[in-house]
Amino acid sequence: MKIGSAELENRIFLAPMAGVTDMPFRVLCKEQGCGLVFTEMVSAKGMHYNDDKSTKLTLLDEKEKPGAVQIFGSEPEIMAEVAEKLDRSDAGIIDINMGCPAPKITKNGEGSALMKKPELVAKIVKAVSGATKKPVTVKIRKGWDDSLANAVEIAGIAEENGACAVTVHGRTREQYYSGKADWDIIKQVKRAVSIPVIGNGDVTGPEAAKRLFEETGCDAVMVGRGAQGNPWIFNQINKYLEEGIIIPAPTAEQKIQTIIRHMNMLIEYKGERTGILEMRSHIAWYIKGLRDAAYTKQKLFKLTNKEEIFNLLQSFLLRQENT
């Protein structure tokens, strides 16, 4: 599959998720066959003011290229300036966030709040597309709420102003992540535009991914929460689509080995203190559904160093093997 000039291995993508899709996790997903990874969303204003934390979020490992860097903001000039900076970076694709539902983002008129301002959407997409030679994509939702479910209109505006693809999450901003994703809106967008459409929402496994392709005709599928603590989902989906095979879930031992590797990568990337604090959420996702997961999570969130977590994981694994 191609998006603009970016050639991708397959049509199963990792969604941008704040606090989740950092470099180590993206690398793990890529190793499991993810066709395209997206960074956590990066503040255009932060990059404009040369904030180190914002700039670091845009860095890509060699193993994850061509990766997409997602930016958010509401000022066309600043968004264009950032796109110009990213034009000289390793980013394979520049993605514009118009779907984030978080109040701290929408109260500034950014993220999914942009869907209420079609004229501003046009200006932002045109400004970003004009400032870079890299493919520009846009991530949107069904709409702000059910009374303003304007994904078809916004997708058309994105295409007219230079977007090479659009991702549609089948929930409104009002829904956040609750309820059921409306796949019909993805189908409507696919019929309305000629650029690739990426379907997003409720892809929790191989069968759901296949159904999303079949029901909407979308060009690619994006996996969000289904990938949390589960980088194996990409290999599972690809195998199912290619060969109709359901790969068994990883064993407890495989999960613990991956957790330890993930933790070491995160510590190397962010330092021990930050790495450990952030890793605790990842571990909770990895062990969900296993024996004694609730008890282990309770203990986990009180720990602050690598050695303690390693010991907790080893005793957790022993309990799995003795079931």
Side-chain angles (χ1 to χ4, degrees):
M1 182 181 174
K2 283 184 81 171
I3 291 179
S5 57
E7 294 196 24
L8 312 173
E9 287 176 35
N10 60 59
R11 303 184 297 154
I12 312 301
F13 302 166
L14 171 67
M17 292 179 281
V20 182
T21 57
D22 51 35
M23 188 191 287
F25 185 65
R26 297 195 307 263
V27 168
L28 291 172
C29 291
K30 195 73 178 169
E31 287 174 358
Q32 288 293 329
C34 177
L36 177 65
V37 294
F38 285 71
T39 66
E40 301 172 74
M41 62 179 189
V42 184
S43 165
K45 260 204 178 128
M47 286 191 71
H48 169 71
Y49 290 112
N50 297 312
D51 173 58
D52 289 342
K53 196 177 174 187
S54 298
T55 303
K56 191 176 181 182
L57 287 173
T58 69
L59 301 178
L60 295 165
D61 188 275
E62 199 61 41
K63 293 175 186 170
E64 53 179 323
K65 294 176 187 174
V69 173
Q70 189 187 72
I71 58 174
F72 74 92
S74 58
E75 295 160 88
E77 305 78 17
I78 290 178
M79 295 287 275
E81 178 199 310
V82 167
E84 213 172 300
K85 283 184 183 178
L86 291 172
D87 199 55
R88 302 187 292 272
S89 76
D90 289 332
I93 290 170
I94 299 170
D95 186 57
I96 305 170
N97 182 307
M98 295 190 181
C100 179
K104 67 178 182 180
I105 303 296
T106 58
K107 74 178 181 185
N108 296 324
E110 300 166 340
S112 54
L114 287 168
M115 295 191 71
K116 295 194 283 185
K117 297 179 178 177
E119 287 179 13
L120 182 55
V121 168
K123 287 175 184 172
I124 289 171
V125 178
K126 189 172 187 178
V128 172
S129 300
T132 179
K133 294 184 183 71
K134 296 182 189 286
V136 171
T137 59
V138 182
K139 189 168 194 286
I140 63 175
R141 283 186 165 238
K142 177 181 177 178
W144 179 256
D145 55 25
D146 283 333
S147 69
L148 189 63
N150 61 342
V152 172
E153 179 194 4
I154 298 295
I157 290 168
E159 179 179 28
E160 284 163 22
N161 287 279
C164 293
V166 62
T167 301
V168 185
H169 182 161
R171 286 181 175 85
T172 62
R173 187 269 176 179
E174 191 177 47
Q175 279 182 276
Y176 282 79
Y177 300 99
S178 66
K180 197 178 173 191
D182 176 9
W183 288 359
D184 191 58
I185 196 76
I186 299 168
K187 183 180 181 178
Q188 289 175 40
V189 171
K190 176 61 190 163
R191 286 178 173 172
V193 299
S194 56
I195 54 176
V197 173
I198 303 150
N200 178 216
D202 294 346
V203 179
T204 52
E207 296 97 331
K210 190 178 183 187
R211 281 201 312 276
L212 182 52
F213 275 123
E214 289 171 350
E215 291 180 22
T216 68
C218 64
D219 301 280
V221 160
M222 182 176 276
V223 184
R225 288 172 296 164
Q228 290 177 349
N230 186 21
W232 302 277
I233 194 170
F234 297 99
N235 188 29
Q236 290 167 337
I237 292 172
N238 285 320
K239 272 285 183 200
Y240 186 67
L241 293 176
E242 290 162 16
E243 302 172 40
I245 297 168
I246 295 280
I247 299 174
T251 63
E253 187 176 5
Q254 286 172 319
K255 286 192 174 191
I256 299 302
Q257 284 172 350
T258 300
I259 288 170
I260 292 167
R261 183 171 168 230
H262 189 170
M263 180 166 64
N264 288 333
M265 289 164 74
L266 202 47
I267 288 169
E268 189 182 338
Y269 181 54
K270 295 192 175 181
E272 178 151 355
R273 189 177 181 281
T274 304
I276 290 297
L277 291 176
E278 292 188 8
M279 191 63 205
R280 295 186 309 192
S281 295
H282 285 283
I283 294 171
W285 292 319
Y286 275 111
I287 66 173
K288 189 179 177 183
L290 296 177
R291 185 188 177 195
D292 283 347
Y295 166 78
T296 304
K297 272 160 58 177
Q298 204 177 358
K299 298 201 86 174
L300 170 70
F301 282 95
K302 294 172 184 168
L303 305 182
T304 54
N305 76 62
K306 180 182 168 181
E307 201 59 42
E308 289 173 336
I309 290 181
F310 182 79
N311 291 335
L312 179 72
L313 292 170
Q314 291 306 312
S315 57
F316 174 74
L317 182 56
L318 278 173
R319 291 198 298 280
Q320 307 307 307
E321 290 168 350
N322 292 332
T323 53

